[in-house]
Amino acid sequence: MNRQRARIQQTISRAPRSAQQGIVLAVALVLLLVLTLIAVSSMDLATTQEKVSGNTRDRVLAFQAAEAALRAGEEAMEAAALAAFNGSNGLYEICAPEDTRTACAKPDYNKKDSVGWVAVDDKVGKVSRQPEFIVEKYNRSKTQASALDSDIPLDQVEFYRITARGFGQTDKSMVVLQTTYRRN
């Protein structure tokens, strides 16, 4: 048995060196290349997901700030007496496009540096800029038919459009919300 084993080892050791091509080295290099590609793509994916989650967080903060400004505008409408809708203090009228009165010149919500907005008094945290709102009054008063008797006057109902904008943690995100508010 030992003779047979010695003969086999002798035959193996006599194999020509040219028969060994170095295939193990080539396979190892290919595997290393594949592992490197997998690692690089997973790092790229993780970076992209981090950016997406940061943008989502920024958008959610801007939305919450805009909602806070919308609620502040609604609370301002609850006052017993409203100031004149003359184009100051965030109070405007909804007018025809050709109307050039100051009361109709509302600020453009797309321009971040536009003036005429009312900033929210409560400090909203973690935002680059405090949320703002404006209130616009519809020119025509709507009437609510509460009675059909000729001697009872119809109730006057006033409608307003509240536009609010909020900013996220960076100044790159801005959310604009609008609501229609009815005041009796």
Side-chain angles (χ1 to χ4, degrees):
M1 183 97 157
N2 283 339
R3 272 179 153 174
Q4 197 174 20
R5 188 179 289 167
R7 230 185 260 169
I8 291 174
Q9 285 179 352
Q10 193 177 23
T11 306
I12 291 174
S13 65
R14 286 188 200 162
R17 295 271 181 200
S18 62
Q20 298 179 4
Q21 300 289 323
I23 194 75
V24 173
L25 178 62
V27 169
L29 287 176
V30 168
L31 286 176
L32 280 175
L33 179 65
V34 168
L35 287 174
T36 302
L37 289 175
I38 290 172
V40 167
S41 65
S42 66
M43 285 174 38
D44 186 42
L45 181 64
T47 303
T48 302
Q49 286 183 352
E50 180 68 26
K51 287 178 184 177
V52 168
S53 65
N55 289 341
T56 302
R57 182 196 62 220
D58 204 28
R59 183 82 170 166
V60 167
L61 279 173
F63 185 82
Q64 290 174 351
E67 280 211 341
L70 204 60
R71 300 300 163 243
E74 289 175 353
E75 287 176 13
M77 298 306 301
E78 293 294 325
L82 294 175
F85 284 79
N86 58 5
S88 63
N89 298 325
L91 302 175
Y92 300 90
E93 289 184 19
I94 298 176
C95 306
E98 62 273 359
D99 197 341
T100 59
R101 292 180 296 143
T102 306
C104 302
K106 68 178 182 173
D108 186 5
Y109 62 82
N110 286 322
K111 296 180 181 175
K112 293 181 181 179
D113 59 347
S114 64
V115 295
W117 296 85
V118 177
V120 174
D121 291 337
D122 299 333
K123 298 295 181 195
V124 178
K126 297 184 180 179
V127 293
S128 64
R129 186 170 154 187
Q130 291 302 308
E132 305 164 325
F133 70 91
I134 61 170
V135 179
E136 299 169 275
K137 180 180 181 180
Y138 286 98
N139 281 333
R140 245 178 53 211
S141 292
K142 304 282 185 182
T143 57
Q144 177 182 356
S146 60
L148 298 176
D149 297 333
S150 61
D151 60 338
I152 299 175
L154 294 175
D155 296 333
Q156 291 294 316
V157 179
E158 296 175 340
F159 286 96
Y160 302 90
R161 179 170 57 200
I162 302 171
T163 305
R165 66 181 182 174
F167 300 92
Q169 196 168 12
T170 65
D171 201 28
K172 293 181 180 179
S173 65
M174 179 179 70
V175 173
V176 177
L177 299 176
Q178 282 187 334
T179 187
T180 302
Y181 185 82
R182 177 181 160 205
R183 179 183 157 111
N184 288 332

